[in-house]
Amino acid sequence: MSQVQARFFTENKKYLIDDVPFSIPAASEVADLSGVINKLLEAKNDGHKHVEFDFLVRGQFLRTSLASHMEKENISTEEVVEIEYVEKFTAPQPEECIMHDDWISSVEADSEWILTGSYDKTARIWSMEGKAVMTVAGHTDVVKDVAWVKRSENLQTGSLVVNDASLLLTASLDQTIMLWEWNSERNKVEARHCCRGHAGSVDTVAVDPTRTKVCVLPTVEEDEIEEPNRPRKKQKTEQMGLTRTPLMTFSGHNEAVSSVLWMDAEELCSASWDHTIRLWDAETGEQKSTLTGSKVFNSISYSPLCRRLASGSTDRHVRLWDPRSKDGSLVLLSLTSHNGWVTAVRWSPSHEHQLVSGSLDNVVKLWDTRSCKAPLYDLAAHEDKILCVDWTENGLILSGGADNKLYTYRYSTCVSDAGA
Amino acid sequence: MTKLKNKKRNLEENEDEQLPIFDKDGGEDAHLDDGDEDQGDLSDSEESVFSGLEESGSESDDEEEEDEEDGSEEKSSDIEEDKTADGDGDDQLSAKEVIKPQTDGQNSKEKKKKKKAAGKEGGEESVASVRDSGLQISSQVDEYEHDTSDEEDIRNTVGNIPMEWYKDYPHIGYDLEGKKIFKPIRNKDELDEFLDKMENPDYWRTVQDKMTGADIRLSDEQVDLVHRLQQGKFGDVNFNEYEPAIDFFSNEVMIHPVTNRPQDKRSFIPSLIEKEKVGKLVHAIKMGWIKPRRPKETTPQYYDLWAKEDPNSILGRHKMHVPAPKMKLPGHEESYNPPPEYLLSEEERLAWEQQDPEYRKLSFLPQKFACLRAVPAYSRFIHERFERCLDLYLCPRQRKMRVNVNPEDLIPKLPKPKDLQPFPTTQSLVYRGHSSLVRSISVSPSGQWLVSGSDDCTVRFWEVSTARCLKTVEVGGAVKGVAWNPNPSICLVAVSYDDTVVLLNPGLGDRLVCTATDQLISSYEEPEEVMDQSVQWAVAEGEGHEQGHRLILKHPKTVRQVTWHGKGDYLACVMPDNGSSLQVVIHQVSKRRTQNPFRKNKGLVQCVSFHPIRPYFFVATQRYVRVYNLIKQELTKKLMANCKWISSMAIHPGGDNVICGSYDCRLAWFDLDLSTKPYKVLRHHKKALRSVAYHRHYPLFASGSDDGSVIVCHGMVYNDLLQNPLIVPVKVLKGHTITHDLGVLDVTFHPTQPWVFSSGADGTVRLFT
């Protein structure tokens, strides 16, 4: 088998070529195929510039030679192979390295500001250029998680109208969640509420898509007489007053809850050390379904684009789940390349196939689900454990860890590919 | 003796040259002898019963009998001589002469005795030789006539006959092969004899052998013997005839007395009862009822070597079949018309010829013939056939007995480690911060925090999930032991250093619990009467309180280990001391009371532990683990660890199994229901074990050793009493570097996850998941 009949196609109009089968050497690799396409495009229009392409054979990225890939995937060599080609993703470009005083426990960024929580008991707000804008101090213990609640230009708080005011949440080891109001114009931060109710440290918070509710998770179970060793999840609505109590408690996990998120306005999802991912009805507080794994879950992420859950666990794998499956415990795919616990996963907000994961082995990996054996790129900048990653809508990847550094990467997803 | 005398006399007579008389006497003697013998025979015939019986007995008896007969012959001749010659015979002889006619049997017996005595005196050989020489000397007088000797010259087979019968023949008898023995050539006449007598210095000691007629020169010993006999001395030089007499028959009464009472008459005559019995036997033999001798079976006896084997079974017949060595099949070279490449070229042929036949590759030269008809006879045929026969004959016949053992059968059937998951497999986190060896670690009951005590005089609190050191508390000495209170509603950590145990409130976890713990401690009220305790309780104040110190317990000695009871109120401390009974103290924190549970010192206490459920208390000394019932206050069990020095101990959460690690690299698993001896001993570690631990939920246990490794084993305990625990080693975890010959110092499991923590001499704590 030296030659393979292949037909190339793409969804990018810019790089369309004739829909005819070609006979190409079976031993050719990505670079060879890319050269072939470029030659064809040059023949078609003179003004073509050289573009690196990546190739998909039946939804799987080509990483080895065509022959071995087809053998592995059990693709018949008798028929004409359909090969899709896309513009190659360029490597994320490192942008900033923001130094902190202590370990970075969490990061959340939007298009303008970066919010980080640190082990020095503060949360910080940074500009995209890495300039420290604000330090939010108020917790008596380590800040474990941060979240933007509202980035509104005009916020009605009580009677006075404040411009450029944002709301942010910090969750801490001191069992409290603080809601802060930050005025970016005046650069003033002010604690609005302190939420109590947890019997242990608060490890994770999540804000629902309508930005009105907060879901908060403790890692340590409250010792209740009726239900010992049950963790609680708390949900709050924004109410006036300095101290808030939970709206609702979700009980069911046997151990510490490590991650929580809103899937939509009515449904939320939590991952725990008791090897389960549970889905809850936010209205009634009932448990809807359970996904059971075999290892402790450290982090989960949900992509509304592909409606998949990604989980990072202590056994080095990133697993993809279908949350709609009723029987649970159905792993769609596992991405294996890390050497340590996967502490953070985050789906791309703009691309349905891509996600980023951070691990204790000091490496952030950028994955494409179409290539599950090897990641697209390894971002090995950190010198110590990675504790958090984030991916903003404008294509910025952030990672923070135990080396006190927050790295940002500019990842330019191909515009042409965004709609795919 | 009589014989000797006889010979002596012969010599004397020889000297006296009374030959003819003696000669005559001798003839008569012989004649009388015959008569005597007849008489003896007659008497014997009377006792034919005896002789028959004796014949059926052993052969030695027969010989004796013959001797007796010979003896009687000689004896009688002696007596005759005595009669004829001067009566210089001693009294005994004459007495015998008197006795003789009465009973021959008695006579013969006496003679036998005498003969035995003679044998004792000289030893048979010397006597025989002397007798021989004596006879020869007498034969010089009368060569062949007087021959009473029973000593036959085996060279001459003529037997006991008068040699004069051969007087006229050139030979004197026949040798064993039936050939004639010729008389030596005697061309000596009287003159020669005389000249010989004059000139030959050895003439006087030369005698003639009557059987062969040859001259024999007597040796010095023989001459000496003759002289001694002539002088009336004993033939044996060494015999001392003047030995001190021992008076056997004295008046002293001995334990086994001997008497000189003469033998009873009945001892000389055959008993009537015996005679009757013998008579019956003789009658029975005569009637053919019994056969005196069973006829010997002449047919040789064989046994069937193959009797046990079944001849029909093929295997039985061919079990030891050795196949003949196979011959090499002929190749192209052997062909009469081989392909040209097999034919040797000229050089090859020359080389072949020059080669030693042994080293030739081919034993023949391949040759090409036009047709098969032209092929001559093969010259090496006989040779090769012979070699083939040799091959067959010499082929090794010994069978090699191969035992077919499948190596997999030797491996015990254990479940695969894969099936025993989950268990820790990889190192996930390293908790760095300590600057010296970390002696002890403990995990909070929630599993969120870890405490470690080190030789750098600090206690550190870690967040398990991120390996973040959240708190460092300094204490006044190298920390020997830390223990987190297992009660989740109390937030206390017991830390031991030097002679002090400090109860720390780390302030981690639920604030309410922390404050509740502080309140619990501060709400203590001093009792009315103050008890005299060996341990001083004090409340920490000032800076210590800021750091988290709550209660300080001053012990009289260095505290090595602290351990909590499952309820979290009682705290046991170990102060190893060989001389004192105060080695283990149990504190009750809520009442601030201390008690010493043991009055006696049963050995150096290594570690102690509370039973997780029942009121038992485990105390490990160097070699034994003692189980005490705390309520009944008695010793329940004593486990023998079979090791030299126990280092650590852990109790299964079910409470019925105990593991002990020892400094001699062993880990012993005890099943308390089964025995006081180890159910299983594992020797997986290369060096001394420092710590062992059970998991609270999973069927796992781990051991840490000086070789820097942690070995995790699956240890399933079944509720079924009939099923023994299943122990499978599943993983060796490495990561700690060995410093100062110390590796892992403590291991402990996460309370909920299948994770194991280990602390090492390299100042790190590691988490394996």
Side-chain angles (χ1 to χ4, degrees):
Chain A
M1 189 186 75
S2 59
Q3 297 284 316
V4 173
Q5 294 288 312
R7 187 160 55 209
F8 295 97
F9 69 96
T10 184
E11 290 184 10
N12 193 339
K13 301 280 188 302
K14 210 167 114 190
Y15 302 122
L16 266 184
I17 57 164
D18 298 334
D19 192 12
V20 286
F22 294 93
S23 185
I24 48 170
S28 53
E29 293 188 13
V30 177
D32 306 325
L33 293 176
S34 188
V36 169
I37 301 293
N38 274 308
K39 282 268 172 60
L40 289 168
L41 287 171
E42 270 173 40
K44 209 174 152 194
N45 49 348
D46 298 332
H48 176 72
K49 273 194 279 177
H50 188 84
V51 179
E52 285 291 324
F53 289 102
D54 230 340
F55 297 86
L56 290 138
V57 182
R58 296 208 184 164
Q60 287 293 317
F61 268 107
L62 189 63
R63 283 286 171 266
T64 54
S65 73
L66 193 57
S68 60
H69 181 86
M70 287 170 77
E71 196 180 346
K72 210 158 65 188
E73 298 287 323
N74 273 330
I75 300 170
S76 165
T77 55
E78 305 291 317
E79 298 159 20
V80 176
V81 187
E82 302 275 338
I83 300 178
E84 184 182 358
Y85 58 98
V86 292
E87 209 176 324
K88 193 165 188 169
F89 303 115
T90 50
Q93 296 302 312
E95 282 212 327
E96 300 292 334
C97 172
I98 304 169
M99 289 298 295
H100 284 64
D101 295 340
D102 210 335
W103 293 13
I104 301 158
S105 61
S106 56
V107 60
E108 184 162 320
D110 61 8
S111 51
E112 251 183 291
W113 309 107
I114 302 167
L115 178 62
T116 60
S118 168
Y119 273 79
D120 60 3
K121 303 175 188 174
T122 60
R124 283 160 206 265
I125 301 166
W126 310 79
S127 70
M128 281 297 163
E129 291 76 40
K131 215 176 87 188
V133 177
M134 190 69 219
T135 302
V136 184
H139 279 293
T140 57
D141 216 328
V142 171
V143 175
K144 296 289 277 191
D145 202 3
V146 290
W148 289 108
V149 179
K150 199 170 250 182
R151 290 279 299 117
S152 70
E153 295 301 307
N154 296 305
L155 188 73
Q156 192 77 30
T157 47
S159 54
L160 67 158
V161 176
V162 186
N163 288 329
D164 296 332
S166 305
L167 284 177
L168 55 102
L169 272 172
T170 56
S172 163
L173 206 67
D174 62 7
Q175 305 175 25
T176 58
I177 303 133
M178 305 259 280
L179 177 70
W180 309 83
E181 187 186 309
W182 174 57
N183 190 318
S184 57
E185 203 173 67
R186 280 187 280 166
N187 201 9
K188 272 179 91 177
V189 72
E190 167 182 341
R192 290 273 299 269
H193 302 291
C194 178
C195 314
R196 295 183 188 277
H198 283 295
S201 70
V202 186
D203 273 17
T204 176
V205 290
V207 183
D208 84 332
T210 59
R211 305 269 172 194
T212 55
K213 291 173 189 164
V214 180
C215 179
V216 197
L217 268 293
T219 51
V220 172
E221 314 84 320
E222 195 176 31
D223 197 12
E224 290 178 350
I225 297 154
E226 314 91 76
E227 293 176 310
N229 298 327
R230 290 294 172 89
R232 293 170 137 213
K233 293 190 272 176
K234 273 136 205 180
Q235 186 186 17
K236 311 188 66 168
T237 53
E238 312 243 345
Q239 287 171 358
M240 294 305 291
L242 210 59
T243 303
R244 299 289 180 85
T245 49
L247 264 186
M248 199 174 276
T249 305
F250 301 93
S251 299
H253 280 298
N254 297 323
E255 281 186 48
V257 179
S258 55
S259 185
V260 71
L261 55 86
W262 288 88
M263 287 168 63
D264 51 48
E266 283 88 41
E267 202 174 20
L268 55 90
C269 176
S270 66
S272 159
W273 279 25
D274 63 1
H275 307 178
T276 57
I277 297 171
R278 289 172 202 242
L279 291 108
W280 310 84
D281 191 315
E283 294 297 322
T284 61
E286 280 171 6
Q287 186 180 325
K288 285 168 84 179
S289 67
T290 307
L291 306 171
T292 309
S294 62
K295 288 278 158 34
V296 166
F297 290 112
N298 282 323
S299 171
I300 50 169
S301 177
Y302 179 72
S303 166
L305 294 172
C306 65
R307 298 175 183 211
R308 297 275 160 78
L309 269 176
S311 74
S313 58
T314 56
D315 60 349
R316 317 190 310 272
H317 302 300
V318 177
R319 290 197 176 83
L320 302 188
W321 308 78
D322 188 350
R324 287 164 297 185
S325 69
K326 289 291 159 206
D327 52 343
S329 66
L330 185 71
V331 180
L332 298 170
L333 207 61
S334 41
L335 311 174
T336 309
S337 173
H338 279 298
N339 286 324
W341 289 9
V342 180
T343 47
V345 287
R346 191 60 61 104
W347 280 99
S348 164
S350 57
H351 197 290
E352 62 168 322
H353 291 305
Q354 291 180 350
L355 70 147
V356 69
S357 68
S359 159
L360 290 185
D361 60 3
N362 310 350
V363 181
V364 177
K365 287 180 194 249
L366 178 63
W367 297 87
D368 194 299
T369 53
R370 294 170 291 187
S371 154
C372 59
K373 294 283 181 292
L376 281 181
Y377 291 104
D378 283 357
L379 313 176
H382 282 284
E383 290 146 13
D384 208 341
K385 299 177 278 284
I386 289 155
L387 300 175
C388 54
V389 291
D390 197 15
W391 195 331
T392 64
E393 287 190 19
N394 53 5
L396 199 67
I397 297 172
L398 303 105
S399 68
D403 56 354
N404 307 348
K405 288 171 188 161
L406 180 81
Y407 283 96
T408 60
Y409 308 91
R410 176 63 60 186
Y411 182 61
S412 56
T413 47
C414 311
V415 183
S416 56
D417 210 44
Chain B
M1 257 169 75
T2 47
K3 268 186 210 164
L4 293 176
K5 274 179 187 168
N6 186 9
K7 283 154 200 166
K8 189 178 81 184
R9 208 178 300 124
N10 280 350
L11 279 171
E12 281 169 359
E13 280 161 3
N14 193 12
E15 277 171 8
D16 291 343
E17 294 188 358
Q18 291 178 336
L19 300 176
I21 303 163
F22 200 79
D23 192 10
K24 216 187 215 170
D25 265 355
E28 281 176 20
D29 208 7
H31 181 70
L32 274 170
D33 265 0
D34 286 348
D36 246 2
E37 272 179 339
D38 286 351
Q39 214 181 343
D41 281 349
L42 278 173
S43 65
D44 274 351
S45 71
E46 243 184 26
E47 299 168 355
S48 60
V49 179
F50 288 101
S51 63
L53 281 172
E54 276 169 36
E55 264 177 14
S56 65
S58 67
E59 282 181 69
S60 61
D61 281 354
D62 286 5
E63 274 178 7
E64 247 181 305
E65 190 73 14
E66 277 168 17
D67 283 348
E68 254 177 57
E69 279 170 9
D70 293 338
S72 69
E73 244 175 76
E74 282 170 36
K75 188 69 216 173
S76 56
S77 70
D78 285 344
I79 291 160
E80 292 306 312
E81 276 168 43
D82 282 339
K83 269 183 196 170
T84 49
D86 304 0
D88 63 341
D90 49 3
D91 291 349
Q92 216 181 339
L93 275 174
S94 61
K96 265 178 215 161
E97 208 180 353
V98 179
I99 293 161
K100 193 194 163 192
Q102 292 177 345
T103 48
D104 238 0
Q106 183 197 352
N107 201 1
S108 67
K109 272 181 190 169
E110 276 191 10
K111 279 175 207 157
K112 203 202 276 177
K113 276 181 202 165
K114 278 179 193 168
K115 203 178 170 192
K116 276 179 187 168
K120 276 175 206 165
E121 274 171 19
E124 289 281 2
E125 276 182 293
S126 66
V127 171
S129 67
V130 168
R131 196 188 296 162
D132 220 12
S133 60
L135 284 169
Q136 274 152 18
I137 289 159
S138 66
S139 73
Q140 220 175 26
V141 179
D142 189 352
E143 262 193 10
Y144 303 118
E145 229 176 50
H146 189 262
D147 181 22
T148 56
S149 169
D150 56 329
E151 291 289 327
E152 282 170 313
D153 190 346
I154 51 149
R155 284 166 297 179
N156 200 344
T157 57
V158 290
N160 190 10
I161 52 152
M163 295 309 279
E164 62 182 351
W165 292 351
Y166 285 93
K167 203 166 59 184
D168 299 332
Y169 298 101
H171 61 277
I172 53 165
Y174 303 92
D175 62 7
L176 285 170
E177 283 151 7
K179 287 177 184 166
K180 286 172 181 173
I181 301 173
F182 291 97
K183 287 177 187 168
I185 298 152
R186 274 198 184 275
N187 47 5
K188 283 180 186 172
D189 52 4
E190 290 294 317
L191 191 63
D192 285 335
E193 195 87 7
F194 176 74
L195 285 172
D196 201 20
K197 193 177 178 179
M198 289 289 111
E199 287 167 6
N200 191 356
D202 288 336
Y203 177 79
W204 59 276
R205 56 158 73 170
T206 307
V207 293
Q208 196 184 24
D209 187 352
K210 66 168 166 119
M211 294 298 273
T212 57
D215 286 340
I216 294 170
R217 184 181 164 275
L218 295 182
S219 64
D220 286 344
E221 290 87 43
Q222 285 168 330
V223 170
D224 185 42
L225 182 66
V226 169
H227 281 305
R228 287 183 67 83
L229 293 173
Q230 275 175 343
Q231 287 160 17
K233 291 180 185 170
F234 284 97
D236 187 8
V237 183
N238 298 320
F239 178 70
N240 181 12
E241 54 195 307
Y242 302 111
E243 279 188 13
I246 299 162
D247 196 3
F248 286 104
F249 313 112
S250 63
N251 56 354
E252 285 174 35
V253 179
M254 290 183 277
I255 311 166
H256 302 294
V258 286
T259 62
N260 58 349
R261 184 166 165 264
Q263 280 182 308
D264 288 323
K265 186 187 173 186
R266 64 172 178 271
S267 66
F268 301 109
I269 54 171
S271 87
L272 281 171
I273 299 163
E274 282 179 6
K275 191 179 173 182
E276 228 169 72
K277 276 187 180 170
V278 171
K280 277 182 185 169
L281 283 172
V282 170
H283 180 66
I285 290 166
K286 275 181 184 166
M287 298 297 286
W289 297 334
I290 56 171
K291 284 185 178 168
R293 269 187 204 164
R294 213 161 46 135
K296 272 187 185 170
E297 289 195 24
T298 49
T299 52
Q301 288 198 333
Y302 305 109
Y303 69 97
D304 188 1
L305 185 66
W306 316 104
K308 280 182 185 170
E309 288 189 34
D310 181 14
N312 296 327
S313 71
I314 293 169
L315 268 178
R317 303 273 322 226
H318 300 288
K319 205 191 248 172
M320 298 303 289
H321 171 70
V322 181
K326 276 184 182 156
M327 280 184 86
K328 204 184 141 219
L329 290 172
H332 290 291
E333 300 93 341
E334 273 92 345
S335 164
Y336 76 96
N337 188 11
E341 63 264 29
Y342 290 96
L343 290 169
L344 298 186
S345 65
E346 196 61 32
E347 294 91 54
E348 283 172 333
R349 208 169 60 80
L350 277 173
W352 184 86
E353 277 167 359
Q354 278 171 5
Q355 228 172 4
D356 199 64
E358 278 179 35
Y359 300 114
R360 282 173 187 165
K361 221 179 235 178
L362 287 172
S363 58
F364 59 94
L365 275 172
Q367 275 179 294
K368 191 182 175 82
F369 297 99
C371 55
L372 195 57
R373 219 170 351 120
V375 177
Y378 184 45
S379 57
R380 285 179 49 83
F381 179 74
I382 301 284
H383 186 81
E384 278 187 0
R385 286 288 90 194
F386 175 70
E387 281 189 344
R388 172 67 182 162
C389 290
L390 273 186
D391 283 351
L392 291 176
Y393 169 61
L394 294 172
C395 98
R397 282 178 180 74
Q398 197 181 11
R399 276 185 87 88
K400 220 175 198 177
M401 298 305 284
R402 280 200 192 82
V403 185
N404 282 326
V405 178
N406 194 357
E408 281 164 17
D409 293 348
L410 299 173
I411 302 168
K413 281 202 177 78
L414 288 175
K416 281 181 191 161
K418 246 186 196 174
D419 307 334
L420 303 175
Q421 271 174 345
F423 54 83
T425 51
T426 49
Q427 177 185 308
S428 295
L429 285 168
V430 184
Y431 303 77
R432 294 180 202 275
H434 281 296
S435 58
S436 186
L437 36 118
V438 185
R439 291 233 183 240
S440 180
I441 47 174
S442 181
V443 190
S444 74
S446 65
Q448 200 183 358
W449 319 106
L450 173 75
V451 62
S452 64
S454 162
D455 270 11
D456 60 5
C457 307
T458 57
V459 176
R460 279 174 188 262
F461 293 90
W462 311 84
E463 191 180 36
V464 166
S465 58
T466 54
R468 165 86 186 184
C469 178
L470 291 168
K471 208 167 194 177
T472 307
V473 178
E474 284 189 16
V475 292
V479 179
K480 289 277 160 33
V482 290
W484 206 296
N485 192 321
N487 190 343
S489 60
I490 298 171
C491 187
L492 269 184
V493 176
V495 176
S496 73
Y497 62 93
D498 294 340
D499 58 349
T500 312
V501 172
V502 176
L503 300 182
L504 289 174
N505 186 350
L508 296 168
D510 198 345
R511 293 288 148 94
L512 289 171
V513 173
C514 295
T515 46
T517 307
D518 280 349
Q519 279 175 4
L520 194 75
I521 287 169
S522 56
S523 66
Y524 169 76
E525 283 176 16
E526 199 77 20
E528 307 266 307
E529 73 265 36
V530 179
M531 281 181 296
D532 188 23
Q533 293 186 133
S534 55
V535 173
Q536 315 249 311
W537 292 71
V539 179
E541 281 159 1
E543 198 188 332
H545 193 272
E546 292 291 307
Q547 279 204 316
H549 294 232
R550 292 295 178 266
L551 285 173
I552 298 164
L553 290 78
K554 283 275 181 198
H555 289 72
K557 277 168 289 187
T558 307
V559 180
R560 204 182 110 160
Q561 190 214 349
V562 282
T563 182
W564 288 95
H565 182 256
K567 293 265 162 56
D569 195 16
Y570 291 96
L571 175 71
C573 299
V574 180
M575 300 173 281
D577 182 4
N578 227 345
S580 148
S581 64
L582 188 72
Q583 292 197 85
V584 181
V585 285
I586 298 179
H587 307 292
Q588 191 177 5
V589 176
S590 60
K591 291 186 181 168
R592 297 195 191 170
R593 245 176 37 184
T594 300
Q595 40 187 319
N596 176 17
F598 304 115
R599 245 169 285 150
K600 271 187 205 162
N601 176 8
K602 294 257 179 81
L604 200 63
V605 175
Q606 299 300 311
C607 51
V608 295
S609 183
F610 286 98
H611 192 284
I613 311 158
R614 268 166 252 142
Y616 290 137
F617 191 58
F618 293 78
V619 179
T621 53
Q622 275 186 27
R623 280 159 182 268
Y624 305 105
V625 176
R626 290 184 174 83
V627 187
Y628 294 95
N629 189 328
L630 287 175
I631 288 178
K632 289 184 186 168
Q633 303 203 332
E634 61 181 19
L635 179 70
T636 313
K637 234 167 216 173
K638 185 179 169 190
L639 309 176
M640 277 156 279
N642 278 344
C643 56
K644 288 194 184 117
W645 197 312
I646 295 172
S647 63
S648 49
M649 172 178 62
I651 320 291
H652 190 267
D656 286 336
N657 294 277
V658 176
I659 47 174
C660 276
S662 76
Y663 288 117
D664 50 353
C665 318
R666 294 181 205 203
L667 188 148
W669 175 298
F670 294 95
D671 192 331
L672 296 184
D673 296 334
L674 208 65
S675 156
T676 58
K677 298 216 169 63
Y679 160 66
K680 210 158 233 184
V681 177
L682 307 176
R683 288 189 196 82
H684 298 307
H685 282 291
K686 302 271 189 312
K687 285 188 179 170
L689 271 81
R690 289 277 169 186
S691 177
V692 289
Y694 271 111
H695 198 282
R696 213 186 281 173
H697 302 303
Y698 289 97
L700 292 173
F701 65 93
S703 56
S705 156
D706 277 352
D707 58 11
S709 67
V710 176
I711 292 182
V712 180
C713 299
H714 177 89
M716 186 59 143
V717 175
Y718 299 96
N719 285 329
D720 182 7
L721 281 174
L722 293 174
Q723 206 164 0
N724 285 331
L726 173 74
I727 298 168
V728 186
V730 286
K731 190 75 190 174
V732 181
L733 301 169
K734 285 183 180 162
H736 285 283
T737 49
I738 297 171
T739 32
H740 310 301
D741 279 340
L742 292 173
V744 179
L745 294 174
D746 198 6
V747 288
T748 185
F749 275 102
H750 190 275
T752 50
Q753 301 295 337
W755 299 347
V756 65
F757 297 92
S758 67
S759 74
D762 53 355
T764 61
V765 179
R766 282 159 203 263
L767 168 66
F768 299 94
T769 61

